Amino acid sequence: SERLFGGFRKTSERLSSNLTGVVGTARLDDTTLDDVEDALILSDLGPSAAARIRARLAEKRFGLEISERELKEAVAEEIAAILRPVARPLEIVAFPRPQVILVIGVNGSGKTTTIAKLAHWFQEEDYGVMLAAGDTFRAAAIGQLATWADRIGAPIVRGPEGGDPASVVFDGVKAATEQGIDALVVDTAGRLQNKRELMDELAKIRRVLGRLNPEAPHDVVLVLDATNGQNALSQIDVFKEVAGVTGLIMTKLDGTARGGVLVAAAEQYGLPIHAIGVGEKIDDLRPFDPDLVARVIA
Ligand code: GDP
């Protein structure tokens, strides 16, 4: 929890300073509620979550005395209420194995690192994990994934640079099935500049997977970089359209004051949030604990 606090430090400082001084008359009146709403928007929680939190505060406490500390606690409680319904760890449940987890997201979002962290997490839970280097567009991406695979001691299936991602995934599922692997975690290209191509590529991966196992991919996890603030949200729209998304992992919550976007994402999309990234190291992926996050942010 201490390390998680470190994770959200800047976000928490921003929200806290935005909320400081809003309790003017010591009673919760319209001016104070306006200021709270503005503070939440300025802290990247987004207009819709901000309005919802304002309405809930008004409903519960309008006209009542409130101190700054009580206000922050009340805000934390409302944030928790938004986050709780979407908190859902990624669980290995597929039968037959392997569970196929497609990981999508724009280049630079932390996708490769998150794949390694996730694989490590499963390994710690005694699951057998295999990686598939489905981002064949960038040679560096294949190399980087291979380096992580080596580091965590996970087998990896890779093809040539410029090769067909769907065939890498096909090989991955075959190898994982033969070797009794529990989870196949698949890296994919993140070229949003060419939406059409990316869409076709992901659709082909889906088709090939679906022929091997109608349930696959079991998960389509979108990795989002919190430092992108509201732009991270528009990526959800795009990837929902391009690939379908079953859940989110938000990264880089350690380095940014824009972590409030996690709340905006939860409120506006209601997609499961599986975990959060709070650093560059292999064990810097945290389970998404809504109460802890809410308490830390506000
Ligand atoms: P990809 O292009 O999406 O595969 O992104 P990478 O996995 O290569 O990550 C891009 C950069 O972000 C790297 O320098 C990572 O170390 C860094 N990174 C990834 N996740 C986190 C995180 O949670 N916190 C911080 N501070 N850096 C991260």
Side-chain angles (χ1 to χ4, degrees):
S1 124
E2 207 164 88
R3 292 185 65 191
L4 181 61
F5 184 78
F8 280 91
R9 192 175 46 78
K10 288 184 182 164
T11 297
S12 152
E13 281 167 9
R14 171 166 302 173
L15 182 58
S16 180
S17 83
N18 286 343
L19 284 174
T20 296
V22 300
V23 184
T25 60
R27 286 192 188 277
L28 195 62
D29 56 14
D30 279 316
T31 314
T32 304
L33 284 167
D34 282 345
D35 291 348
V36 170
E37 192 172 346
D38 291 349
L40 296 171
I41 292 171
L42 286 171
S43 306
D44 278 295
L45 278 81
S48 135
R52 174 162 156 190
I53 292 171
R54 179 212 171 103
R56 297 281 296 156
L57 291 176
E59 210 178 287
K60 289 182 181 166
R61 298 176 182 246
F62 191 82
L64 303 179
E65 271 185 37
I66 194 164
S67 69
E68 196 161 283
R69 191 179 53 79
E70 287 165 339
L71 174 70
K72 285 177 182 172
E73 279 169 15
V75 167
E77 175 47 36
E78 299 311 331
I79 290 176
I82 291 173
L83 297 181
R84 272 178 216 129
V86 299
R88 201 168 320 151
L90 201 51
E91 276 166 5
I92 305 298
V93 290
F95 185 83
R97 300 283 211 245
Q99 182 155 327
V100 181
I101 303 168
L102 277 194
V103 183
I104 61 179
V106 300
N107 295 334
S109 61
K111 189 155 38 83
T112 313
T113 313
T114 300
I115 288 169
K117 289 171 173 174
L118 204 53
H120 176 70
W121 178 328
F122 291 142
Q123 287 174 327
E124 300 265 280
E125 291 182 11
D126 276 338
Y127 290 116
V129 190
M130 181 180 281
L131 306 184
D135 182 359
T136 58
F137 189 74
R138 298 182 300 164
I142 303 175
Q144 200 190 341
L145 195 70
T147 305
W148 275 117
D150 201 39
R151 217 178 288 168
I152 63 175
I156 179 171
V157 172
R158 52 191 283 186
E161 184 191 350
D164 180 4
S167 99
V168 175
V169 175
F170 179 89
D171 291 346
V173 174
K174 262 186 57 192
T177 305
E178 281 162 17
Q179 295 174 40
I181 294 282
D182 298 299
L184 179 71
V185 188
V186 181
D187 191 14
T188 60
R191 290 168 291 143
L192 258 202
Q193 317 83 274
N194 200 334
K195 213 170 103 180
R196 184 77 248 167
E197 252 178 51
L198 184 59
M199 198 185 258
D200 291 346
E201 186 168 312
L202 292 168
K204 186 171 177 193
I205 291 176
R206 276 182 173 280
R207 269 200 315 279
V208 167
L209 279 172
R211 256 182 249 130
L212 293 167
N213 176 353
E215 306 274 309
H218 302 80
D219 307 280
V220 182
V221 179
L222 174 61
V223 175
L224 293 172
D225 176 346
T227 59
N228 287 329
Q230 300 301 304
N231 283 336
L233 299 183
S234 52
Q235 288 174 16
I236 301 180
D237 285 315
V238 177
F239 275 99
K240 272 177 68 177
E241 185 197 334
V242 167
V245 175
T246 62
L248 306 175
I249 293 180
M250 196 168 277
T251 63
K252 307 191 197 179
L253 285 157
D254 49 314
T256 181
R258 314 197 71 176
V261 72
L262 191 65
V263 183
E267 214 277 332
Q268 288 176 42
Y269 294 90
L271 285 165
I273 298 177
H274 297 310
I276 50 178
V278 295
E280 297 189 89
K281 293 196 298 297
I282 192 74
D283 58 354
D284 286 335
L285 190 69
R286 297 280 175 277
F288 179 59
D289 177 335
D291 290 280
L292 182 56
V293 168
R295 234 181 305 128
V296 165
I297 295 183

